[in-house]
Amino acid sequence: MQVTTMMRRRIPALTALVVLLLTAVASALPLRTSDPRPASAPVGDFSAARAVARLDRIARVPHPAGSVAQSQVREYLVGELRDLGLRPEVRDRVAASASASASADDDDSTILGSVSNIHATIPGAKPTGRVLLVAHYDSVPIAPGAADDGAGVAAILEIARALKTGPQLRNDLEILFTDGEESGLLGARAFVDAEAGTRRAADPRRTVVVNLEGRGASGPAVMFEMAGTGLVPAVRASGALTTSFAAAIYDRLPNDTDLTVFEEAGMRGLNFAFMDGSGHYHTTHDDVARLDRASVQSMGDAALAAVRRLGGSDLSRGGSDATYFSLFGTVVSYPAWLVLPLAVVTLAGVAVLPWFGRRRGLSPGGAGRAAATFPVIPIGAAVGGLAGWWVLSLARPDFVLGGGSVYHLGRYAWGEALLLLVLLVAWYRRARRNASPLDVVVGVLGWFALLAVVCAVLLPQGAYLFTWPALIGTAVVGVTLRFTAVDSPWRAVTGALTAVPAVALVLPVVLLLLPALGLELTAAPLVLAVLPAALLPGLLEPLPSRRALTAGMLAVAVAGAGTLVVGTSLDGYSADEPRPVSLGYVLESDSGKATWVSLGDTSQPAVGKLLTDGSARYDDRVPPLGGDALANGAARPAPLETPSTTNVSVGEADGVRTVRVRIQAPAGTHTIDVHADTGAHEILDATVAGVRLAGGPKRAQGGWGWSFGYAAPPADGIDVVIRARGTGVLPLRVVSTTVGLPDAADPPVLAPDQSWTSWPSVAGQTFVVRTFRL
C-alpha cells in the first residue's frame, strides 16, 4: 500500500519530466544541420558539394584586400559570373569608414582603402525593388578565409546558378562581392557612396540585403540580425534559426558586418551566419579542410529560400516592427505594439494569483518570501560565470589569447551548469522551509513577469522570453489551484509544467549564445538558463529523503568541479586544433631599436622564451598597439624597408599650416597608420587620396590624438593634405604593418599544433615605425 502511494506521488513528477525532456529535444532539434547535398543534386537545389568545390580557388591562401592573391580571386569570380550568363563589373573606389565625416574628438581612427567590388544583376520580370545578395571576398591577412567569408561567396555563386535554372524572379537580384570588409566595411561603404552619387540610384527603401557571413567553422545557419521591417516571411521561408533577442544583443556588441553600412543607408536586410567552431575564426586554420559542409548546406538552403521569397514579393511594402523567434522549426512573430501590453497583462495576472489562490492553499507570504530570495540565482549564475572565466584564464592563459573562443566550450559550460544546479537546489530547499512548492513557483513567475515589463521598455525584442512563460505559467497555476486538492501531488510539479514554454523559448537562445559569446562571456547564457531552471526543483519533491537529496547535491558538485578541473588540465592541442600564440616584431627606425611584443606571457611555447623584459605599454611609441600592456623582449634589428615621404610641401596662411605629402609604405604592407601629434597642433581637417577627413582638437596632455589608417596602400603611395593650427613643425608618426616576422631577426618556428592567435591581435606581424617632422 505504501509503495502504491509512493508511485502515485511520483507519476506526476515522471510525467512532467518526460514532457520537459521532449520539449527540450524538440526545441534543440532545429540546431542540427542536415547532410550536405552531393554534386548530383537536382539543378534547382542548393548543393554544398558544388559550392565547396569552388573554394579551392577562393580560399586556398590568405587574400586580404589589395593583395596579389585577392586579385586572382577577383578574376576567378568574374569568370564564374560570366559563365553563369551574367555581366559582372568591377567597381574600383577609395572608400572610408563611417567615422570619416564625424568629429574626431576621440581616439577612433578613420580607416580608408582602395577597394574593388564585383557587381552583377539578374533582371527581374516586373521589379518592385531589388534583392541585394552580399558576401565579402577578402580575408584577414593571416587566414585563407574558407568560412569567413569564402563559404558565403561560394554559396552565392551556387545560389545564382540554381536561380538561373528556374523561372525568372519578379524583382531584380543584384549580386555584390564586397572588398575590404575586414579592413572596416570599406567595400559596402564604397558601394553606398557610389550609388548616392548617381541619378539612377535605387530607392533604399525598396532594397533588401541578404548578407552571408561566417563567425565560425560549423553550426546551423542563424539569421542573427534583421534590419528594417516586413521581412519575417522571408526568414520563415529560409528555415534558419532566429530570435529578435539575439538581434538586440548583437546591436549592443561592438561588432559590425556589411549590413551595418546598408542599414545606415536606409536599406532593409537580413544577416545570416554559422557560429560554431569559433576557435578557427580569423586564424591560419580557417581553411577548407576544417569547414563543415553541412553548415554550407544550411547557409545555402536558408539564403536561397529567403531570396526566392523576397524575389517574388512586393518590396514596396514594409511592415511593422516585430518580435520574432524560432519555435519547433517555425518562426512566430507579432507586432511590436503588442509587447508592452502583453507584459503588463502578464504582470497583472501574476499579481492576481495570490488573491485567487489564498483560499485554495496558496500562501501569499510564502510566495513573497520565495520571490525575495530568488535574485540569488541569477546573481549566482553571473558571479559563477565571471569567476569561472577568471579562474580558467589564470589556469590557462592560452584561453585568453582566443578571447574565450576555445575548441571545447561545451565541457566548461556543463561544468558551470552543474555547479549552478547545486546552488539552485540549495536555494529551493531554503525557500521550501516557509513555502509550498506552488508558492515557490508563483514567486518565480513574479520575477518572470517583472522582467517582461522591464524588457518591454528597455529591450522589447527580448521581452517574449519572459512574457510567454509567465503568461502561460499563470494560467497553469490558476488551473491547478482551481481543480486540484491542496495535497495533490500535481501541485508539487506544477512548476515543472510551467517551465515547458520557458524551456522551449530559452533553450535555443542559450545554445546560440554560447558559441557566439564564447567562454569569456559565458555568464550571459548561464544567467538566462537558470531562469527557467528555477521552475524545475519541484520535481525533487517525490525523493524519499533529504539525505538522498544532499548526497545527490554533493555528487553533482563534485561532477561539476571535476568536469572543469579535468577539462582544463586535459584540454590539449593538435594539428587540427592548434594552440594560439601571440608574437609581433617592432622596429622603431628612428632609434634602431627592435622589440618582440606579445599579448601572451612566457608560458607560450616557442615564443615565450623571447619575452624577457616584462610588460610595457606602447601607446606613444607604436600607437596602433596602444591600449594594452604587452609582454616584450629585446630583438635583433633587421634591415627592413621603412615608410617614406616624397613631394613634401608646407605652406602657412592666417595661422594655418597646410602640409602636403605623399606617404609610401614598404612593399607587402597591408595597413599603414598615420598619427599626428596634437599636443601643440589642432588638426582642422585632412584630405587622403581625395577623401576628406574631419579634424580633431589640440590636447593639453599631448599624444598622437588624430590618426587615420589606410588598408592596402598603393605601391606609389597615398597623397595626404593636412591643415593644422599650431606652432612649429607637425610631427607625424607612421606605422606600417605587414604579415610575417623578418627572417633576419631569427623568429621562432611554430610547431604543427601551434598557430597565431585570432586576427587582428598581435599575430605574427611586423610593425615598422618612423617619425616625420613636417
Side-chain angles (χ1 to χ4, degrees):
M1 185 69 176
Q2 185 177 3
V3 174
T4 303
T5 302
M6 182 61 70
M7 288 300 299
R8 287 178 178 176
R9 292 183 62 84
R10 290 179 178 176
I11 286 175
L14 292 174
T15 302
L17 181 61
V18 170
V19 172
L20 281 167
L21 290 176
L22 291 175
T23 301
V25 171
S27 62
L29 275 177
L31 276 79
R32 298 181 60 189
T33 53
S34 57
D35 293 334
R37 293 193 188 94
S40 59
V43 293
D45 290 353
F46 183 94
S47 162
R50 288 191 288 249
V52 172
R54 296 184 170 96
L55 285 178
D56 283 338
R57 298 290 300 275
I58 298 172
R60 182 168 48 205
V61 296
H63 49 283
S67 64
V68 174
Q70 173 75 333
S71 65
Q72 294 171 346
V73 173
R74 181 165 55 251
E75 292 176 5
Y76 170 73
L77 295 178
V78 168
E80 288 294 290
L81 291 171
R82 285 176 179 159
D83 290 345
L84 290 173
L86 305 180
R87 297 180 178 178
E89 58 178 337
V90 177
R91 299 179 176 181
D92 300 321
R93 189 180 179 93
V94 175
S97 59
S99 61
S101 60
S103 175
D105 291 336
D106 51 33
D107 293 326
D108 289 341
S109 178
T110 298
I111 304 297
L112 302 95
S114 305
V115 294
S116 300
N117 290 334
I118 305 171
H119 180 266
T121 301
I122 301 178
K126 193 175 181 181
T128 64
R130 63 173 175 173
V131 180
L132 191 61
L133 185 56
V134 181
H136 68 88
Y137 75 104
D138 63 309
S139 72
V140 298
I142 66 171
D148 181 28
D149 192 23
V153 173
I156 287 179
L157 291 175
E158 173 65 3
I159 289 170
R161 183 209 58 77
L163 291 174
K164 291 285 287 184
T165 65
Q168 186 178 21
L169 297 176
R170 178 184 184 181
N171 297 309
D172 292 339
L173 173 64
E174 296 185 19
I175 294 170
L176 178 64
F177 295 132
T178 60
D179 190 9
E181 191 269 354
E182 300 290 4
S183 303
L185 314 179
L186 298 179
R189 178 63 58 187
F191 181 83
V192 168
D193 290 347
E195 286 218 331
T198 62
R199 293 183 177 180
R200 297 183 179 181
D203 184 352
R205 295 169 298 179
R206 296 193 179 193
T207 297
V208 178
V209 178
V210 177
N211 188 53
L212 307 187
E213 266 289 357
R215 181 59 179 80
S218 58
V222 180
M223 201 295 290
F224 64 95
E225 182 188 18
M226 181 188 296
T229 59
L231 303 180
V232 170
V235 180
R236 186 176 292 117
S238 75
L241 286 164
T242 189
T243 166
S244 52
F245 176 73
I249 296 298
Y250 178 79
D251 288 342
R252 286 157 175 80
L253 294 174
N255 300 314
D256 292 307
T257 67
D258 281 339
L259 184 59
T260 304
V261 175
F262 296 124
E263 182 180 13
E264 291 172 353
M267 303 178 193
R268 296 179 290 160
L270 304 173
N271 236 344
F272 292 91
F274 44 84
M275 304 181 184
D276 291 356
S278 58
H280 301 294
Y281 178 65
H282 279 190
T283 66
T284 56
H285 38 99
D286 176 14
D287 54 23
V288 178
R290 293 174 176 85
L291 177 65
D292 189 347
R293 274 60 173 168
S295 297
V296 179
Q297 185 68 53
S298 179
M299 175 83 84
D301 284 341
L304 177 58
V307 167
R308 279 177 169 153
R309 179 59 184 258
L310 292 167
S313 302
D314 185 351
L315 299 183
S316 65
R317 296 181 179 181
S320 62
D321 291 324
T323 289
Y324 55 91
F325 51 89
S326 294
L327 182 65
F328 303 136
T330 189
V331 177
V332 178
S333 66
Y334 52 89
W337 63 264
L338 269 176
V339 173
L340 185 57
L342 278 173
V344 171
V345 168
T346 300
L347 184 61
V350 175
V352 168
L353 273 181
W355 172 82
F356 175 75
R358 192 166 189 173
R359 296 183 179 181
R360 295 174 173 83
L362 185 68
S363 169
R369 285 188 290 271
T373 59
F374 175 74
V376 72
I377 300 304
I379 292 174
V383 171
L386 294 173
W389 167 245
W390 178 72
V391 172
L392 287 173
S393 65
L394 291 177
R396 296 291 300 268
D398 45 304
F399 287 178
V400 180
L401 286 177
S405 295
V406 297
Y407 297 113
H408 305 289
L409 176 63
R411 65 182 61 169
Y412 303 102
W414 270 113
E416 292 181 345
L418 290 173
L419 292 177
L420 288 175
L421 179 60
V422 176
L423 173 65
L424 181 64
V425 174
W427 164 79
Y428 180 76
R429 295 180 69 175
R430 176 65 180 83
R432 278 284 284 116
R433 294 179 183 179
N434 301 300
S436 69
L438 203 56
D439 296 339
V440 176
V441 170
V442 173
V444 175
L445 289 178
W447 275 99
F448 267 85
L450 181 61
L451 289 171
V453 174
V454 171
C455 281
V457 175
L458 302 179
L459 196 71
Q461 303 97 317
Y464 79 91
L465 289 169
F466 311 108
T467 300
W468 291 108
L471 194 60
I472 297 173
T474 298
V476 171
V477 171
V479 170
T480 301
L481 290 170
R482 176 66 178 83
F483 294 105
T484 63
V486 174
D487 60 349
S488 170
W490 285 101
R491 289 202 172 194
V493 298
T494 296
L497 294 175
T498 61
V500 169
V503 170
L505 295 176
V506 174
L507 182 60
V509 175
V510 170
L511 295 178
L512 288 177
L513 288 180
L514 275 172
L517 299 180
L519 189 58
E520 184 176 9
L521 299 176
T522 189
L526 286 176
V527 169
L528 198 58
V530 297
L531 295 176
L535 295 168
L536 302 179
L539 293 173
L540 302 174
E541 291 292 331
L543 288 179
S545 68
R546 291 185 177 181
R547 289 184 178 181
L549 183 57
T550 301
M553 291 172 62
L554 290 174
V556 171
V558 171
T563 299
L564 293 175
V565 171
V566 174
T568 303
S569 60
L570 298 183
D571 196 353
Y573 295 101
S574 65
D576 190 55
E577 296 176 340
R579 172 173 177 164
V581 295
S582 169
L583 188 69
Y585 178 86
V586 174
L587 177 64
E588 298 173 79
S589 62
D590 301 326
S591 63
K593 182 177 182 179
T595 311
W596 296 113
V597 294
S598 175
L599 286 170
D601 57 23
T602 56
S603 68
Q604 298 179 94
V607 307
K609 61 186 179 182
L610 301 176
L611 309 174
T612 57
D613 296 338
S615 61
R617 296 181 66 92
Y618 285 78
D619 304 65
D620 182 66
R621 292 167 55 187
V622 192
L625 297 179
D628 293 303
L630 301 177
N632 66 99
R636 180 185 304 168
L640 300 178
E641 184 182 356
T642 66
S644 61
T645 58
T646 58
N647 302 338
V648 179
S649 68
V650 180
E652 187 165 350
D654 300 325
V656 176
R657 289 173 61 84
T658 301
V659 177
R660 301 176 184 274
V661 61
R662 172 169 289 188
I663 300 176
Q664 290 180 284
T669 296
H670 67 76
T671 304
I672 189 167
D673 293 278
V674 179
H675 298 255
D677 187 345
T678 54
H681 294 82
E682 176 189 4
I683 307 300
L684 301 177
D685 56 47
T687 302
V688 179
V691 177
R692 186 181 180 279
L693 306 184
K698 181 169 64 176
R699 300 190 174 193
Q701 72 274 23
W704 307 98
W706 180 89
S707 65
F708 69 87
Y710 201 103
D716 58 351
I718 51 176
D719 290 319
V720 180
V721 180
I722 300 176
R723 295 195 319 126
R725 181 178 285 113
T727 58
V729 298
L730 175 64
L732 294 181
R733 180 149 291 178
V734 182
V735 183
S736 64
T737 307
T738 58
V739 174
L741 303 175
D743 291 337
D746 194 20
V749 177
L750 299 186
D753 63 345
Q754 301 161 8
S755 75
W756 300 123
T757 187
S758 178
W759 189 269
S761 58
V762 181
Q765 302 125 281
T766 294
F767 306 89
V768 179
V769 188
R770 186 173 180 182
T771 305
F772 301 93
R773 301 183 182 277
L774 307 175

